[in-house]
Amino acid sequence: MEWIALGTLEDIPAGGGRYVDTLAGQIAVLRNEKDEVFAVSNQCPHRGGPLSEGFVSGNRVFCPLHNWQIDLEKGEAVAPDSGCVKRFPIRREGDEIWLGLEEMTR
Amino acid sequence: MHSLTTVSPKPRLVVVGNGMAGIRAVEELLKMAPDLYDISVFGAEPHPNYNRILLTPVLAGEMSLEETILNPLDWYAEHGIQLYTGNPVTQIDRVKRQIVTADGTTTPYDRLLLATGAAAAIAPVPGNHLSGVLSYRDMADVEALTRSSALGGQAVVIGGGLLGLEVAHGLRARGMEVTVIHRRAWPLDKQLDQRGGVLLQKAMEARGVRFLLGKETAEILGTQHVTGLRFTDGSEIPADVLVMTIGIKPRIELAQAAGLQCETGILVNDTLQTYDPRIYAVGECVQHRGQTYGLVAPLFEQAKVAANHLAEYGRMLYQGSVTSTKLKVTGIELFSAGNFMGGEDYEEVTLLDGSQGVYKKVILQENKVVGGLLYGDTSIGPWLFQLMRDGTDVSAFRDNIVFGETHLGDSGHAGENQASRLPDNAEICGCNGIAKGSIVKAIREQGLFTLDDVRKCTKASASCGSCTGLVEQLLASTLGGFYDSTPKKKALCACTDLSHQELRDAIIAEKLFSVRQVFDYLDWRHPGGCSTCRPAVNYYVRTAWPAHGLDDPQSRFINERAHANIQKDGTYSVIPRIYGGVTSPAELKRIAEVAERHHVPMVKFTGGQRLDLLGVKKEALPQIWAELDMPSGHAYGKALRTVKSCVGSEFCRFGVQDSTRLAIELEKSLERMWAPHKVKLAASGCPRNCAESTIKDVGVIGVDSGWEIYVGGNGGMKVRAADLLCKVKTHAEVLEMAKAFLQMYREDAQYLERTAPWVERIGLEQIKATIVDDANTRKALAERLDFALSQEKDPWKEAVSGRLDIHAAPMRRIPV
């Protein structure tokens, strides 16, 4: 596991998200109203919508394309929909945000 | 606000009544304040809460008791609720604040919720105590009826109302000879007029149920067990089982004995509070504003309001329910609502097809639906009920009203009817691909009652909403009997109980200037909101406070945040503003060069006469905007889109007015206008109407003497021809009138409600009275819009200059 500095909390709008480009595709970095930060692959399991552009509330993100809801703690779509998104670990040092990637992902 | 939570131990809430109303109130309370109370529930029946609506399928042998359970015992345990079944409460001691049960134990309370329901009314005739004389209210009655019917023989049902007919149907299905006695000249006289009653009687007779009408019972015969009955005219009939379904009587004895004020039911105010402020009451035992209710939807509405006050939110008021009923006995379809009899001050629209067994009657007063009944084909029921509840002006389509929405130029599938006759594999929800069978299954197996339940469980009708009518029909036909299509007031979303209007009022009254303040101050259930409420609240805040209200980009849909239209592959489309659709060779060249330089995959003319550059990556947006150096076309927003125009008098040999110039003036004075939904305009230079002004939110048509202004048209999902608002002479008058109309729409319509349904909902007359007849109001509205627009800047210029960050670039690139 390698930890990569992404920036600070202020770089991510509260209740929304940003995306990170990697060689293995985009990762959504999302911040909720309680300033908790989550990272998941930036593709809704439904039709691949960019989750970084969705509404974030509590532990959920609402996909901007067809409003699927994804549980960010489980990395799963909320019933009645079903599907998974890959989760990535986030480490916080003060306001700094670090993203954990496996060697392979780089 | 939650002062009681600080007191230790927790305050005690005692619920008397373990039925649908009481437990629904507990469920609503747990949603709002899960840990506020220690809750105990006392039920007279030995079962956990079951679905009383399903008594008839159980009686008819189609379902078992277990299948009707709504809250199994585990549910009570999971939520830490003490449940005492089979132990009726005998006394309320308001001084000591405790209740006493049949076995003498006492339980103290801090808050008491009465949900004692109703009992069957028993006719005060000799012999009403004999064995074999039964009622039809609860599972015990169903069990007694099932036992009695096993012996076969003659069943007599006294009372030809909804319950009477259902029990007659159930007993007939169990093989008994059944006769229904009714004192009126036709059955179901509370829901049907004579014509409908006769049709229903014939249909029931064809199924083997006999009727004796206009008969009054004098005496029930028998020594121990019922053997028959005698009528006031001296005639007699034999009976082995006798069921009384002459009505229900709210159970008020307990409340009355405790000194709570009662009339027919326990009197409550708009917060469902009784005369003792510690005691609330909900359900069939309640009398509110002189009304008692026996249908499930009003009870659920009451439960929600009572729970809101028990949770100490103190925000909701119950203002009574408009109800409709729908009976379904083996394929007999019936719907009735409001005043279905009509009378001197009313007008009737009827359709009678005797051979098909179809009868429809709609009662109107001043062009508004005040009631109706449908027999044989009830497919337009939910729509009719909606018209009635909303008080919609129906003058435009009253000729066709009995045929339903499908005959109103509906090119979509919103009003498609006869859902119950579709096969199970028929697709109901085209957005989510949900078939009829899975919806019906979910309603049955998961105990769903409302449209919201269905949306949450199956996703049907949760996207574009055009199948809502169909889903409501499926709810009605699956739940049968006592389904009441929709609650009167619709909450904005699951995050709050407030309706759109209550929310708008609160934003103004409480001076709430941001989405965050709204969520905090109004106790939002999810502090981060959801995809439904965030954009709506942001719009309401900005409309109420154009200068001071905070525009929160994170509470806008992606399109309005990126100021471009997201496409299926996550790329965006760019549509610059071209006023009135009039461009120049230089502008066209610039657009073409930008498209070439950025390898834009597709360049297309839009339906609104503009140019669309499709397939642009988010990262490239600011650069493209900078190179175009044109204002945003707002083609991505709930905002003013385009003003379409025809050539007009400048070149066209037919043109009588300069439509291109007016279109440019309109677009320049309305650009950057946010609205509840997208807004499209058009200007045509002569009555040939080449710009299609009559299917636009606001459309103008040039005539020799000036301009005709049309409003509320729509050409999309549901076609609607616009209404003529007025005729004016000058461009300035057109501009002021259009501004006043649009500002009225902005201030009054619900978020995501387009002008077409809005105009239908509030009626053209009200709009005319406000902005055509009243010059002062018109001027004030136009000025308010001008002020709001003066606060808006061009978002593309803001982004190019760095004042607006649309987060186009990635947060980081790995590897860098």
Side-chain angles (χ1 to χ4, degrees), chain B residues 201-482:
Chain B
Q201 182 186 342
K202 278 191 190 145
M204 292 286 286
E205 281 171 350
R207 287 161 174 79
V209 174
R210 282 191 300 266
F211 285 86
L212 281 175
L213 300 169
K215 292 273 193 185
E216 192 105 30
T217 308
E219 187 182 353
I220 300 170
L221 306 174
T223 45
Q224 279 202 311
H225 193 90
V226 60
T227 56
L229 68 167
R230 183 183 302 128
F231 300 110
T232 46
D233 62 7
S235 58
E236 292 181 10
I237 59 163
D240 301 304
V241 177
L242 193 148
V243 193
M244 291 236 197
T245 53
I246 55 173
I248 59 170
K249 227 173 58 190
R251 284 205 178 98
I252 58 172
E253 300 77 8
L254 202 59
Q256 220 162 16
L260 296 175
Q261 296 219 25
C262 299
E263 286 175 7
T264 310
I266 305 167
L267 297 188
V268 292
N269 62 17
D270 286 0
T271 65
L272 281 313
Q273 204 172 32
T274 67
Y275 273 71
D276 182 334
R278 289 180 178 273
I279 306 181
Y280 288 79
V282 291
E284 290 176 321
C285 63
V286 154
Q287 180 178 339
H288 171 264
R289 296 192 188 178
Q291 280 286 319
T292 59
Y293 294 96
L295 301 171
V296 72
L299 310 193
F300 285 179
E301 278 181 62
Q302 293 173 359
K304 200 165 208 175
V305 175
N308 187 284
H309 289 276
L310 286 170
E312 307 194 328
Y313 281 36
R315 289 203 176 276
M316 292 177 75
L317 292 182
Y318 177 68
Q319 297 175 317
S321 303
V322 183
T323 58
S324 70
T325 46
K326 196 165 161 153
L327 164 86
K328 195 158 184 279
V329 172
T330 44
I332 296 176
E333 291 213 29
L334 167 83
F335 170 93
S336 127
N339 171 356
F340 57 87
M341 291 298 279
E344 249 178 45
D345 299 331
Y346 302 95
E347 295 166 66
E348 285 179 22
V349 183
T350 55
L351 174 141
L352 176 66
D353 183 343
S355 60
Q356 293 290 313
V358 172
Y359 175 44
K360 302 181 184 185
K361 175 171 165 186
V362 179
I363 307 293
L364 302 174
Q365 189 177 28
E366 288 166 2
N367 281 320
K368 288 178 178 156
V369 177
V370 294
L373 73 89
L374 306 168
Y375 181 85
D377 174 5
T378 59
S379 53
I380 69 166
W383 175 68
L384 207 58
F385 191 52
Q386 184 82 33
L387 293 177
M388 179 175 144
R389 237 178 24 194
D390 296 347
T392 306
D393 187 321
V394 301
S395 45
F397 51 92
R398 58 177 286 165
D399 295 353
N400 286 319
I401 196 162
V402 292
F403 301 107
E405 217 172 358
T406 38
H407 289 253
L408 304 176
D410 180 3
S411 70
H413 42 285
E416 196 173 314
N417 53 22
Q418 289 141 5
S420 58
R421 286 179 214 168
L422 293 170
D424 270 358
N425 60 6
E427 185 174 81
I428 300 290
C429 175
C431 295
N432 294 298
I434 316 289
K436 176 189 162 186
S438 21
I439 298 173
V440 171
K441 193 164 167 244
I443 294 170
R444 285 223 181 95
E445 293 179 359
Q446 303 182 43
L448 312 182
F449 291 102
T450 65
L451 188 61
D452 266 354
D453 292 345
V454 174
R455 285 178 175 159
K456 211 175 281 167
C457 270
T458 68
K459 295 217 104 175
S461 141
S463 296
C464 82
S466 69
C467 62
T468 301
L470 282 172
V471 173
E472 286 189 327
Q473 285 174 41
L474 288 179
L475 268 164
S477 61
T478 310
L479 292 174
F482 297 77

Side-chain angles (χ1 to χ4, degrees), chain A residues 5 15 19 21 53 56-57 81, chain B residues 459 529 534 618 811-812 814:
Chain A
Y19 66 95
D21 258 335
E53 308 294 354
V56 182
S57 172
D81 296 321
Chain B
K459 295 217 104 175
R534 269 162 66 166
K618 192 180 184 191
M811 190 174 179
R812 192 178 159 151
I814 307 167

Side-chain angles (χ1 to χ4, degrees), chain B residues 550-604:
Chain B
L550 181 77
D551 191 351
D552 172 22
Q554 297 312 314
S555 289
R556 286 183 175 268
F557 287 116
I558 172 60
N559 288 355
E560 296 186 358
R561 196 172 346 119
H563 294 284
N565 238 326
I566 196 163
Q567 306 295 316
K568 60 185 274 189
D569 60 355
T571 64
Y572 294 80
S573 86
V574 174
I575 302 177
R577 191 163 293 286
I578 299 177
Y579 300 97
V582 180
T583 180
S584 67
E587 193 169 71
L588 282 175
K589 266 189 212 157
R590 193 164 66 242
I591 295 171
E593 280 162 9
V594 172
E596 249 178 13
R597 215 162 26 239
H598 288 270
H599 307 287
V600 170
M602 184 191 266
V603 181
K604 185 190 174 303

